[in-house]
Amino acid sequence: MLVAKSVVVLAEIITRLGDEDKYLSLVARRQVAVIGYGNQGRSQALNMRDSGLRVVVGNPHDPYEKLALEDGFKVVGVSEASGLADIVFILIPDEVQPEVFERSIKPHLRENSVVVMASGYNYFYGYVKPPDYADVLLLAPRMIGWAVRELYTRGEGFPALVAVGHDHSGVAKGVMLGLAAAMGVFKRGGCAVVSSFREETLLDLLSEQTWAGALLFMFRAYYEVATELGASPEAAILELYASGELAEIAESMKNLGLFEQLRTHSRTSQYGQLTRGPGFVGEEVKDKIRGIALNILNGSFAREWALEQRTGMTVFNRLHEINREHPMELEEKKLYKILGRIG
Ligand code: NAI
């Protein structure tokens, strides 16, 4: 079991670069290749280009390539883009990165090339291994792809976890901050949290495997009990998430704070949440979270997931199938048709 540390590690949080132009000049003359033009690739490429960087897109022939061309980028294959670049952003799905990196990116890296990733996973577990003569950076927006662009165009920043994984050039941190600035991180309200590939991987996977997954199944349990007690499926689903109130609560958490947002609910609601909530989360649950964290850090979850991908995703597909068969899914489809959200 993981041993809890009593020392709180304080993060270095950068909200403004004293001399942003100095950092931008570290990257301005270098050729950037953005590999992948999907959720993150498109937004990051557009932001960096608008900040004055030279950006080429590396993408296979698919609809994303068409989009990049329509946006006015020079688009070439992944190998060619990597060969042209001093700085290579790997913005394709995590599952395909190891193979694409070995085959089409790594052979083109040179002394002081910079490899940039938006997720810690593949580098932390050693699935993507850049050579020692390249710098390795993490620039992981805590923001979904389209919003990275949307905020930039409104002159607003966003939080990003940033890290230097390997500093061969001796200027990796400066380059990292220059790229973060070009991406728009330091615009109004944004910040870079200096992190590590380990921390980013732990925090990301730990969220997914604890509260995010638990929330889905907690909603299922609520639905089952509420409908047992005579509530209509439609009313239950609206109450849980379909009304959009949940998104408003999440927005209030962001703006006011986790517990401060409670004050925007009725006092009956506040009393109910404060008295009943803690009963769901005791030491047993914390031990479970520690166990999951251990399996993330020691790589056993990553090995399990790699095996699942190699063996045809049978568990993954089966679990989706089981969940699709739940009565709540059918009721949700009916409701979403009535609401005009699906055809
Ligand atoms: P995505 O799924 O949107 O990537 C699609 C792009 O990858 C397309 O351009 C497609 O042509 C290309 N692609 C797919 N398979 C390929 C292959 N075999 N060879 C070459 N190109 C291929 O990816 P997304 O969601 O933007 O994720 C990219 C990275 O950003 C990942 O590391 C992810 O963890 C990270 N990230 C994603 C966030 C998000 O908002 N989705 C948030 C923060 C980080």
Side-chain angles (χ1 to χ4, degrees):
M1 203 48 61
L2 291 180
V3 182
K5 271 198 196 160
S6 55
V7 185
V8 175
V9 182
L10 294 177
E12 182 190 353
I13 300 179
I14 305 170
T15 51
R16 282 269 166 284
L17 288 179
D19 187 354
E20 192 163 306
D21 288 346
K22 184 187 89 186
Y23 289 100
L24 279 171
S25 72
L26 280 176
V27 292
R29 277 185 298 280
R30 305 176 83 182
Q31 177 68 54
V32 172
V34 170
I35 308 300
Y37 203 71
N39 298 311
Q40 287 293 329
R42 177 168 194 256
S43 293
Q44 295 194 19
L46 288 168
N47 290 3
M48 288 191 282
R49 184 175 69 182
D50 286 356
S51 297
L53 268 52
R54 290 194 287 142
V55 181
V56 61
V57 172
N59 209 83
H61 300 302
D62 64 13
Y64 297 97
E65 177 197 41
K66 194 166 164 274
L67 188 59
L69 288 167
E70 280 166 12
D71 287 339
F73 283 102
K74 171 176 174 174
V75 188
V76 293
V78 175
S79 288
E80 194 182 338
S82 308
L84 291 172
D86 306 303
I87 301 172
V88 184
F89 279 73
I90 306 181
L91 297 174
I92 56 180
D94 292 315
E95 304 87 88
V96 302
Q97 286 180 12
E99 201 241 312
V100 173
F101 179 78
E102 273 309 305
R103 185 170 34 86
S104 308
I105 300 174
K106 192 174 167 188
H108 304 286
L109 297 176
R110 305 181 289 262
E111 179 85 19
N112 293 334
S113 286
V114 182
V115 175
V116 189
M117 292 183 234
S119 132
Y121 195 96
N122 281 311
Y123 185 68
F124 176 61
Y125 292 120
Y127 295 138
V128 167
K129 275 198 198 128
D132 278 350
Y133 50 82
D135 288 354
V136 183
L137 303 177
L138 175 73
L139 281 176
R142 295 291 89 172
M143 190 57 64
I144 46 174
W146 62 265
V148 166
R149 179 61 183 162
E150 173 81 16
L151 288 165
Y152 183 96
T153 56
R154 291 210 307 253
E156 290 175 37
F158 50 87
L161 255 57
V162 300
V164 174
H166 184 63
D167 183 6
H168 175 74
S169 66
V171 291
K173 189 170 181 184
V175 170
M176 174 183 85
L177 294 174
L179 292 171
M183 209 179 281
V185 168
F186 302 113
K187 289 180 182 290
R188 193 174 61 246
C191 68
V193 179
V194 181
S195 179
S196 64
F197 281 74
R198 176 189 184 275
E199 182 179 64
E200 199 276 339
T201 306
L202 171 66
L203 294 179
D204 200 31
L205 297 187
L206 195 59
S207 274
E208 292 158 7
Q209 296 178 27
T210 59
W211 67 265
L215 185 74
L216 302 178
F217 289 92
M218 174 68 95
F219 280 9
R220 272 277 165 81
Y222 169 105
Y223 173 91
E224 286 168 3
V225 174
T227 50
E228 264 166 36
L229 296 173
S232 76
E234 295 83 352
I237 292 170
L238 280 164
E239 171 69 29
L240 284 169
Y241 54 89
S243 69
E245 188 186 6
L246 188 63
E248 298 301 330
I249 294 172
E251 184 72 14
S252 297
M253 282 180 186
K254 184 191 92 181
N255 294 329
L256 304 175
L258 186 62
F259 280 84
E260 275 307 309
Q261 61 78 28
L262 265 187
R263 298 188 189 281
T264 65
H265 301 244
S266 74
R267 296 218 287 192
T268 311
S269 165
Q270 293 176 43
Y271 181 75
Q273 293 189 52
L274 290 168
T275 53
R276 270 49 173 183
F280 287 96
V281 189
E283 273 310 309
E284 217 180 284
V285 171
K286 276 172 70 182
D287 275 343
K288 209 172 255 207
I289 295 174
R290 286 188 189 102
I292 288 172
L294 185 64
N295 285 336
I296 292 168
L297 290 174
N298 68 18
S300 54
F301 170 78
R303 283 191 293 278
E304 175 188 323
W305 175 223
L307 181 67
E308 172 67 6
Q309 291 171 75
R310 277 201 306 278
T311 51
M313 307 275 276
T314 43
V315 174
F316 180 92
N317 291 327
R318 180 79 195 117
L319 291 174
H320 268 303
E321 231 169 78
I322 292 170
N323 280 311
R324 261 201 309 272
E325 283 160 11
H326 193 280
M328 186 177 175
E329 291 292 298
L330 297 176
E331 297 300 338
E332 181 193 275
K333 297 252 155 9
K334 280 199 251 163
L335 175 65
Y336 279 24
K337 266 200 182 126
I338 294 168
L339 298 175
R341 291 181 191 167
I342 55 174

